[in-house]
Structures are given as structure tokens and as C-alpha cells.
């Protein structure tokens, strides 16, 4: 009787809900918990780098755990990659939500992503995932000139005079562009970001952060104004 009732009254639900919610019973849920706990610290760090907020990062990690429980885990070849991707996407969604915009200032800490003093490959992967999320948000909300000014100022410590030369504007105007970029990050308006453009910027940013050579990054951010720019050192705070 218990087995036939749900099949006749809620047929469409019974074909999907058990597969999603309980893929393989209690033993599988224990394995799912072990896999999640093994990555939990990493997931929190990724969420925190994007959000800059402890409570928000904890909420994201909790939501990832709930989604992980409802996932058909037998079909996931790489649980770590799945969990990290889910964390990044959820953190970006939180940043984009009206609640988060009103409660927490949105300003990705790009300088944190370029620290070359930590050779730990785990930290390297975390930073790579987090920087891709942060850059996707910046690209969706900023015009090309503001994106260039913000990334170079906040991520690589460019002086306003250097930004002015790169963008071919005055130093006071360069300061205005950076300030407007910061203000624009609070806006809900976004435009689509081509996947290839995002990949190119993320790769160029990582290369610049790791090597100190910004030539490739400048070609992506300001293709018409990077000639003659100097090779710079590692990422640092703006002066």
C-alpha cells in the first residue's frame, strides 16, 4: 500500500524526487557528507573572497551543502570541481541580489588574489576560482574604461597618472573613472559577458598576478593604449 499510493497520485514527482534527494540511501549520504566536509574550508574561503563577508560566506556554504544533498552524485566525476563551481556561482548570485547590495558594500578585493607568497596548490586553485567570479561580476557591471581603471588600480596599484596615460585622459579624470566604477558596482544593472572574453581576462589577470608582467593584461583591458607601459612587480595596494 505505501508503495503504490504515491505512484498513482503523484506520478510525475516520484520519478524525480527520490533520484535527486536520496540517490543511494544512508551510506551514500555519509559519503556525501565526507566529501563535503573535506572541501568545506576551501569553499568558505572562495565564498569569502567574493563576498568579503563571513556570515554571507557561511550562508553560501550551507546552501551548497543542501544542493549537494539533492544532486545525483553518482553522475559527478569530480566532486571538488562541482562544489567549487557551485560555491562561486552562488556567491556571485548573492552579490547580485538586492539584499546583499543594500547590506554589504560590493568591492572585490582584487589585490588578495595575486599573493605569490603562498605556493600551496590548494590555495592557488581557490584563488583562481574566486578571481574568475570577481572578474565576471566586474565585467557585467563596468564599461571597458572603468573595468580597466578599476582592475589596474585596485589589483595592481597603478597610480592615477599611469591610468591617465593608459586611458588617454587626465589624472583627475582617471580618479573620477575609478570612483565611478566603485559606485557602479552597487548597481543592479548588468550586461551579458561573453564567455571567451571572460576567459581571456581571467587568464591574463592570473598571469600578471603571478609573474608581474602586465603586457597581456593591458592588451585585454586597453588594447589601444597599452604601448609603452612599464613591466610592473607583483600585485599590491594602490598608493
Amino acid at each position: 500500500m505505501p508503495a503504490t499510493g504515491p505512484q498513482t497520485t503523484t506520478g510525475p514527482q516520484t520519478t524525480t524526487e527520490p533520484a535527486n534527494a536520496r540517490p543511494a540511501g544512508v551510506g551514500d549520504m555519509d559519503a556525501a557528507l565526507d566529501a563535503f566536509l573535506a572541501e568545506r574550508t576551501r569553499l568558505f574561503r572562495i565564498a569569502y573572497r567574493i563576498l568579503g563577508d563571513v556570515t554571507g560566506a557561511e550562508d553560501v556554504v550551507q546552501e551548497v551543502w543542501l544542493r549537494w544533498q539533492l544532486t545525483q552524485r553518482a553522475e559527478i566525476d569530480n566532486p571538488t570541481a562541482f562544489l567549487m563551481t557551485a560555491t562561486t556561482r552562488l556567491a556571485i548570485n548573492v552579490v547580485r541580489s538586492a539584499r546583499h547590495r543594500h547590506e554589504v558594500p560590493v568591492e572585490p578585493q582584487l589585490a588578495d588574489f595575486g599573493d605569490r607568497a603562498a605556493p600551496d596548490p590548494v590555495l592557488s586553485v581557490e584563488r583562481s576560482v574566486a578571481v574568475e567570479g570577481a572578474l565576471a561580476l566586474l565585467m557585467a557591471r563596468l564599461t571597458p574604461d572603468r573595468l580597466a581603471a578599476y582592475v589596474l588600480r585596485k589589483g595592481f596599484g597603478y597610480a592615477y597618472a599611469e591610468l591617465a596615460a593608459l586611458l588617454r585622459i587626465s589624472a583627475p579624470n582617471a580618479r573620477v573613472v575609478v570612483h565611478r566604477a566603485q559606485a557602479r558596482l552597487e548597481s543592479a544593472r548588468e550586461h551579458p559577458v561573453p564567455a571567451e572574453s571572460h576567459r581571456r581576462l581571467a587568464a591574463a589577470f592570473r598571469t600578471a598576478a603571478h609573474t608581474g608582467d602586465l603586457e597581456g593584461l593591458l592588451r585585454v583591458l586597453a588594447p589601444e593604449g597599452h604601448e609603452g607601459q612599464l613591466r610592473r612587480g607583483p600585485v599590491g595596494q594602490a598608493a
Side-chain angles (χ1 to χ4, degrees), residues 50-53 56 90-108 137 140-141 181-191:
I50 295 174
L51 298 175
D53 173 54
L90 283 171
I92 292 175
N93 288 341
V94 171
V95 170
R96 289 173 172 169
S97 71
R99 176 184 64 81
H100 188 276
R101 287 198 309 274
H102 290 306
E103 293 178 2
V104 182
V106 179
E107 186 176 343
L137 179 66
R141 294 191 177 179
Q182 290 176 285
R184 183 65 178 79
L185 290 174
E186 300 291 338
S187 172
R189 292 177 298 169
E190 297 182 355
H191 55 265

Side-chain angles (χ1 to χ4, degrees), residues 208 213-220 226-227 229:
D213 187 352
L214 273 70
E215 184 68 18
L217 181 61
L218 292 173
R219 281 198 299 267
V220 173
H226 78 279
E227 297 88 350
Q229 294 296 311

Side-chain angles (χ1 to χ4, degrees), residues 138-155:
L138 294 175
M139 294 180 73
R141 294 191 177 179
L142 301 181
T143 57
D145 60 333
R146 292 177 184 177
L147 176 66
Y150 185 90
V151 170
L152 294 173
R153 173 69 178 174
K154 297 296 184 178

